[in-house]
Structure formats: structure tokens, C-alpha cells
């Protein structure tokens, strides 16, 4: 996705948020904002990918803060909150006429757990407050029927994760994907380095994802979404052999929508107008959108 003018205040708001998570020193915060504004002014290009530009800005912010994981505490809290909801999710999946659909919906609801941007959480505990209502909203855009047809015949599936918290529900989704097609080889892809509130291999291992997936890979570097210029040879090879890609969250959409990888299914909460407009779906809905 190309960067939109609305992305600029959103990016700056998130930068201020992460600086506040990392330090109380006003001088450091001022330096962060100045550095971020300078590099953003240099990089901003309507023809540039929003995720690529955001990566460079956040990278400089982390360096200025001297902090390689400003969201560390929020990520841990998010996983704890999500774990407390697992019994409720398991009950919904077990009692559903369509366990795969319900696991996807709960995984998408977990995608509301994001920080420092409009339309997302202000604290991890908010997920408890909005969980039942957001599940009850159902899918505002639903390509699951077509997605199921692809899942039935897919031998190799890659699932790119997004934020901590929601990754707890992603484990249940992965289990249901394997139940739906036991013959698929399911690979989980997490971030190569801490970036924003996204899940890393540390989170995947702590949650014992090896119980429900066949392999765990990382994106290989610091990147908002995916940096396709810095893929590991293993992930690059997996992408060349994949039958279906499943992407959680907006940043993965921002990255993959600039490529020719197909078929690809996006599972997310549409939390902002630029994403919703780019995908041609309403804002603030639970969406499964497939591009074949």
C-alpha cells in the first residue's frame, strides 16, 4: 500500500506513544520527535510503501531511545490478557457450527489489540471489555467460503502473525486450520526482531506453537510488516513453494499489497481509513478478504 497523507499523523502519534513507553526524559522525547520528523520529511513519497517508510522511521526512533523493545511490557501484558480469554474462545470454537470460522473471527478480534494509533487499544485490558461485542459483530467482510476451497487443496500454507495478545488466539486458529486440512504443511512466520507490539519467535516458543504448526520461521529483520529485500533464504524458499498465504493485521497488508504474491488472505480488524479504502471494505470491521 502506498503511504497516504493520513498515515503521517498516525505514524507520528505512534512514535510519541512508544517514546513515552520507553522514557520519562523530556529531552530524549524531544530528540525522538525531531529525528522522526526529519527522516519522515526526507522519506515521504506518495509512491512509497507505507510500511517501508514506517520501518525506517521506527528504526531511527529505537536507535534514538537506545531501546530495542519499547513495547516489551505492553506485549507481555497483552499475552496475559489474551490468555485469560482462552477458555472463552475455546468454548466459542467448541460450540460453533463452524469451528474454523469462529477461530478466525476470534483471531481477528484479537487484532484490535494494538497501541498508539486511532481505532485500537489504549491498554491491553480493553480486549476484555470489547471482546464479546466484537465477536458478536461477526464478519463485516467474509471471503471464508472461497478461502476454504483453497485451504482444502493447499499443501503448503504460510501464516504471517501480527501483534502480541492476538497471537494467543492465532494458536487456536492454527490448530483449527490443521484440523480442517490435516495434510497441509503449516508454517508460522513471526517478526525477526522486536518491532512495535508484534510477536517474535520468543513469543511463539513460549506459547508452544510447535504443537500446532509444522515449522516456525521469522521475517529475518527489523521491519514493519515484511521487508522483502531482507528475507532469509529459508523464508524466500517457502514463499516460492507456498500454495496459500494468510496474513494477520494491517502492516502485513501494507507490505504484501505491494507484491505479486497470490493467493493471499488477509485477516484483520480494519482500524483506519487508508487501509479500508485500499482494500475497498468498510472501516472498523472484522474482515477476511482473499486475493486470488
Amino acid at each position: 500500500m502506498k503511504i497516504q497523507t493520513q498515515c503521517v499523523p498516525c505514524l507520528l502519534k505512534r512514535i510519541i506513544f512508544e517514546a513515552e513507553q520507553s522514557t520519562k526524559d523530556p529531552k530524549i522525547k524531544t530528540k525522538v520527535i525531531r529525528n522522526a520528523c526529519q527522516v519522515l520529511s526526507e522519506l515521504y513519497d506518495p509512491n512509497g510503501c507505507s510500511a517501508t517508510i514506517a520501518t525506517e522511521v521506527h528504526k531511527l526512533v529505537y536507535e534514538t531511545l537506545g531501546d530495542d523493545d519499547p513495547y516489551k511490557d505492553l506485549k507481555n501484558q497483552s499475552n496475559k490478557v489474551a490468555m485469560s480469554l482462552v477458555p472463552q474462545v475455546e468454548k466459542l470454537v467448541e460450540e460453533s457450527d463452524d469451528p474454523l470460522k469462529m477461530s478466525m473471527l476470534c483471531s481477528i478480534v484479537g487484532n484490535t489489540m494494538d497501541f498508539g494509533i486511532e481505532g485500537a487499544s489504549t491498554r491491553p485490558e480493553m480486549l476484555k471489555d470489547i471482546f464479546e461485542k466484537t465477536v458478536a459483530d461477526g464478519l463485516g467482510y467474509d471471503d471464508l467460503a472461497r478461502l476454504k476451497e483453497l485451504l482444502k487443496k493447499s499443501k503448503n500454507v504460510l501464516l504471517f502473525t501480527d501483534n502480541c495478545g492476538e497471537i494467543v488466539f492465532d494458536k487456536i486458529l492454527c490448530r483449527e486450520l490443521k484440523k480442517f486440512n490435516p495434510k497441509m504443511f503449516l508454517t508460522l512466520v513471526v517478526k525477526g526482531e522486536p518491532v512495535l507490539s508484534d510477536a517474535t519467535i520468543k513469543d511463539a516458543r513460549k506459547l508452544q506453537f510447535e504443537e500446532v504448526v509444522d515449522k516456525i520461521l521469522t521475517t529475518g529483520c527489523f521491519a514493519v510488516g515484511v521487508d522483502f529485500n531482507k528475507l532469509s533464504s529459508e523464508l524466500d524458499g517457502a514463499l516460492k513453494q507456498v500454495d496459500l498465504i494468510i496474513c494477520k493485521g494491517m502492516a502485513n497488508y501494507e507490505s504484501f499489497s505491494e507484491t505479486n504474491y497470490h493467493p493471499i488472505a488477509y485477516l484483520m480488524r480494519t482500524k483506519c481509513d487508508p487501509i479500508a479504502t485500499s482494500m475497498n471494505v468498510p472501516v472498523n470491521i472484522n474482515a477476511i478478504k482473499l486475493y486470488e
Side-chain angles (χ1 to χ4, degrees), residues 6-23:
Q6 302 101 306
C7 299
V8 174
C10 184
L11 180 54
L12 292 175
K13 182 176 181 179
R14 194 193 283 269
I15 285 161
I16 293 168
F17 178 86
E18 65 197 37
E20 290 174 343
Q21 298 304 305
S22 179
T23 183

Side-chain angles (χ1 to χ4, degrees), residues 40 155 179 197 283:
L40 182 55
K155 296 179 180 179
K179 284 183 179 179
S197 58
V283 71

Side-chain angles (χ1 to χ4, degrees), residues 20-286:
E20 290 174 343
Q21 298 304 305
S22 179
T23 183
K24 295 182 179 180
D25 189 329
K27 291 182 179 179
I28 296 177
K29 291 180 185 178
T30 298
K31 189 175 181 180
V32 162
I33 293 170
R34 285 176 175 167
N35 287 354
C37 287
Q38 181 177 343
V39 73
L40 182 55
S41 70
E42 294 170 355
L43 293 175
Y44 184 83
D45 180 350
N47 294 314
C49 173
S50 53
T52 301
I53 294 171
T55 295
E56 293 304 314
V57 175
H58 284 293
K59 185 177 181 180
L60 180 60
V61 168
Y62 280 38
E63 291 171 356
T64 305
L65 289 169
D67 188 346
D68 63 1
D69 196 358
Y71 293 79
K72 182 178 180 180
D73 291 341
L74 277 174
K75 292 195 292 186
N76 289 333
Q77 292 170 30
S78 297
N79 283 342
K80 288 179 182 178
V81 169
M83 286 297 296
S84 73
L85 289 167
V86 164
Q88 192 171 347
V89 174
E90 292 284 23
K91 188 171 187 292
L92 286 168
V93 172
E94 181 181 349
E95 295 179 353
S96 175
D97 293 334
D98 191 337
L100 179 60
K101 181 176 183 178
M102 182 55 70
S103 68
M104 285 190 178
L105 176 58
C106 290
S107 177
I108 291 167
V109 171
N111 186 238
T112 60
M113 191 178 279
D114 205 349
F115 305 100
I117 61 171
E118 296 294 337
S121 308
T122 56
R123 53 190 176 83
E125 292 76 16
M126 277 186 65
L127 184 62
K128 290 183 179 180
D129 301 334
I130 59 94
F131 181 78
E132 288 187 12
K133 179 187 180 304
T134 314
V135 170
D137 287 343
L139 292 170
Y141 194 93
D142 184 1
D143 274 342
L144 183 56
R146 288 164 56 210
L147 177 55
K148 280 183 174 180
E149 291 302 313
L150 290 177
L151 283 168
K152 286 177 184 177
K153 56 186 181 183
S154 292
K155 296 179 180 179
N156 293 293
V157 177
L158 290 177
L159 192 154
F160 284 76
T161 63
D162 192 29
N163 301 314
C164 283
E166 72 179 279
I167 195 176
V168 173
F169 302 157
D170 291 341
K171 184 179 179 182
I172 297 171
L173 168 58
C174 287
R175 184 193 69 202
E176 295 303 316
L177 285 168
K178 292 287 284 186
K179 284 183 179 179
F180 185 79
N181 178 359
K183 294 182 180 180
M184 79 164 63
F185 190 94
L186 179 59
T187 301
L188 189 83
V189 185
V190 294
K191 290 296 185 292
E193 295 179 20
V195 56
L196 305 179
S197 58
D198 290 0
T200 63
I201 197 162
K202 179 181 177 181
D203 301 294
R205 286 174 174 163
K206 188 173 182 179
L207 291 167
Q208 299 180 306
F209 262 86
E210 63 273 9
E211 296 175 347
V212 294
V213 301
D214 300 291
K215 184 177 263 188
I216 303 174
L217 296 177
T218 80
T219 56
C221 66
F222 181 99
V224 175
V226 181
D227 185 342
F228 295 98
N229 294 315
K230 296 182 180 178
L231 294 178
S232 68
S233 58
E234 195 170 12
L235 180 54
D236 184 49
L239 281 166
K240 288 175 179 175
Q241 297 177 14
V242 73
D243 298 310
L244 172 67
I245 299 169
I246 300 174
C247 282
K248 293 293 305 298
M250 299 195 300
N252 283 325
Y253 171 78
E254 293 174 62
S255 298
F256 271 98
S257 60
E258 291 290 301
T259 74
N260 293 317
Y261 288 109
H262 291 95
I264 183 165
Y266 297 103
L267 279 60
M268 72 172 80
R269 181 78 178 180
T270 55
K271 290 170 283 197
C272 73
D273 287 322
I275 292 285
T277 300
S278 177
M279 296 181 70
N280 195 28
V281 300
V283 71
N284 292 325
I285 64 164
N286 305 315

